[in-house]
Amino acid sequence: MAVVEHGALVTRAGSIDWIGEEASAPAADQTVDLAGAWVTPGLIDCHTHLVFAGNRAGEYAERLQGASYEDIARLGGGILSTMRAVRVASEQQLFDESAPRLEALLAEGVTTVEIKSGYGLTLAGEAKMLRVARALGREYPVTIKTTLLAAHTVPPEFSDRAHDYIATIADEWLPALHSDSLVDAVDVFCEGIGFNIAQAERLFAAAKELGVPVKMHAEQLSRTGGTQLATRFDALSCDHLEYATAEDAVALARARTMPVLLPIAHYCLGGKQIPPIAAFRSCGGGMAVATDCNPGSAPGTSLLLAMSMATRLFGLTAAEALAGVTRHAARALGLGVETGAVGSSAQAGRAANARRARCGELAVGAAADFVVWNVSAIEELGYWIGFNPCRQVIRAGRVVS
Ligand code: NIG
Ligand code: FE
């Protein structure tokens, strides 16, 4: 983490035009004195399922009594329970239920959010969720990246036909939703209670054909080997990773696939297995941290809490946690400042992303997304629990709060 003391930055047309020490700052039309406050890049929540209807507090109570997440899913609860609620909700209801969760994230300095589908599980239902995600991005001062997660679980229409379901997503839904510009990336829940490696590969091949980048819910409840597959497809990220191995960490770093840690899900599921943090650290590829906001495993709308849990539960340093919600989170979305320099191995989707506004760092040319904090040391960001030290948020050069 590079710290500029007595720093200043100049913005122009929504981007950072200059950054350095105040003493050598160029003249500007208008200046704002932040009186020595800490400034960080706008925070990035790179893994959420925040568009959903209803909640699953009842399942949480069952888990407290000893039921497992997998047991509840196998009995038709879990993701299918939220699917039923989302299918009957109108687009407006879905927007209205999701907006307060987004507002909670934004209040803590978040300026970019990834939102997954995955509770419609029909073409129309997935489209509805993705349109709501896009609408949130139009109504709020935030950059929204959408991810198609139709491969979240097998819906009743395809019961015992997971293979046909994947083929339908790959051959019909993904091309249709992509041509409606609703899909920035494709994700799959690769797990015993989700989809297997061959099914994930089928979906990834279709995404590659269209130039859409891929991601994976990988090694969350067991080791499936999904990470190795995802890295062969230049995945932007592999997420959860509690059961990933040191070999997986090496593959991730080689492929420049970002490991994304989701400590709120780990906490809410009462997880015992910790992701291989030391291996990620020694491979040097970075680690991102996100909320995983969803009604089942992680009903959380605080990225600062995710930072706190990443330090206390997973052993990240404060600097790693901050990088995890800024520059490494940006890379998990293909928005990293260094994304443009990935080179010839980068897939088409990454090249397309590189042309969009880059974020996650206070660097010349990056989006002028930044947060002014009421803290005296940057370690305070993952230290307070339930206290919000966010003073002011600037997105694309404009004060938004
Ligand atoms: O990231 N594991 C799969 N998907 C989500 C949970 C979704 C849900 O339970 O509704 C996750 O943990
Ligand atoms: Fe998730």
Side-chain angles (χ1 to χ4, degrees):
M1 178 173 67
V3 176
V4 181
E5 293 203 41
H6 306 290
L9 57 82
V10 178
T11 73
R12 185 192 304 271
S15 297
I16 296 176
D17 210 32
W18 185 91
I19 180 160
E21 281 176 24
E22 189 184 355
S24 43
D29 300 343
Q30 200 191 342
T31 58
V32 180
D33 182 4
L34 299 176
W38 277 94
V39 172
T40 68
L43 306 190
I44 299 169
D45 193 352
C46 68
H47 180 139
T48 87
H49 312 243
L50 78 75
V51 169
F52 60 83
N55 71 71
R56 307 215 303 265
E59 289 182 5
Y60 182 61
E62 286 175 43
R63 291 207 306 274
L64 292 176
Q65 297 299 316
S68 76
Y69 182 81
E70 289 103 312
D71 292 342
I72 292 169
R74 285 197 193 94
L75 291 170
I79 294 165
L80 288 176
S81 154
T82 301
M83 176 205 73
R84 291 186 283 274
V86 165
R87 283 186 176 183
V88 298
S90 70
E91 209 157 314
Q92 186 63 47
Q93 274 172 295
L94 210 46
F95 181 97
D96 292 344
E97 284 200 44
S98 305
R101 293 187 279 271
L102 180 63
E103 287 169 15
L105 287 176
L106 301 193
E108 288 185 351
V110 171
T111 51
T112 300
V113 178
E114 184 255 17
I115 301 179
K116 299 174 197 296
S117 66
Y119 296 119
L121 311 185
T122 60
L123 176 57
E126 293 292 291
K128 176 171 71 175
M129 291 190 68
L130 294 167
R131 281 196 304 269
V132 168
R134 287 278 190 246
L136 289 166
R138 286 191 298 273
E139 295 298 317
Y140 286 91
V142 62
T143 301
I144 299 288
K145 296 285 281 180
T146 58
T147 300
L148 176 66
L149 179 59
H152 204 184
T153 193
V154 179
E157 294 77 11
F158 287 85
S159 91
D160 298 323
R161 291 190 299 127
H163 179 84
D164 291 347
Y165 181 54
I166 287 289
T168 303
I169 302 170
D171 300 339
E172 297 171 28
W173 300 1
L174 170 59
L177 297 167
H178 177 252
S179 78
D180 287 344
S181 300
L182 287 172
V183 181
D184 296 328
V186 170
D187 195 345
V188 53
F189 182 31
C190 193
E191 186 60 63
I193 55 165
F195 296 89
N196 64 29
I197 301 279
Q199 291 157 351
E201 183 165 11
R202 172 82 168 83
L203 184 62
F204 282 2
K208 188 175 182 183
E209 193 88 343
L210 292 170
V212 179
V214 300
K215 322 180 128 260
M216 183 184 273
H217 279 70
E219 334 296 355
Q220 178 188 9
L221 306 168
S222 62
R223 184 170 187 279
T224 64
T227 301
Q228 298 286 336
L229 171 76
T231 57
R232 289 206 297 280
F233 279 85
D234 287 324
L236 288 173
S237 70
C238 283
D239 306 40
H240 286 289
L241 298 172
E242 272 82 344
Y243 288 85
T245 62
E247 264 184 340
D248 294 335
V250 171
L252 287 163
R254 282 213 181 111
R256 299 176 59 89
T257 295
M258 186 58 62
V260 177
L261 309 174
L262 304 168
I264 299 179
H266 174 87
Y267 166 81
C268 288
L269 295 180
K272 301 277 181 282
Q273 179 86 12
I274 303 288
I277 303 298
F280 294 146
R281 188 178 282 136
S282 75
C283 290
M287 295 171 261
V289 174
T291 61
D292 196 17
C293 175
N294 76 71
S297 64
T301 57
S302 170
L303 196 52
L304 295 178
L305 179 63
M307 290 171 74
S308 164
M309 289 182 171
T311 53
R312 182 67 277 178
L313 300 178
F314 289 175
L316 268 63
T317 66
E320 285 171 335
L322 179 58
V325 298
T326 53
R327 72 172 195 275
H328 292 150
R331 276 184 41 200
L333 297 179
L335 294 174
V337 167
E338 70 275 45
T339 303
V342 165
S344 56
S345 72
Q347 56 180 248
R350 278 189 183 172
N353 279 326
R355 286 192 292 277
R356 296 199 192 103
R358 295 167 298 141
C359 56
E361 286 184 53
L362 299 177
V364 172
D369 295 351
F370 54 93
V371 187
V372 185
W373 299 98
N374 285 323
V375 297
S376 52
I378 211 66
E379 287 76 16
E380 284 184 51
L381 296 188
Y383 158 78
W384 296 107
I385 296 172
F387 174 73
N388 180 7
C390 175
R391 184 198 297 180
Q392 196 173 46
V393 182
I394 290 87
R395 178 171 172 274
R398 286 172 196 275
V399 177
V400 295
S401 75

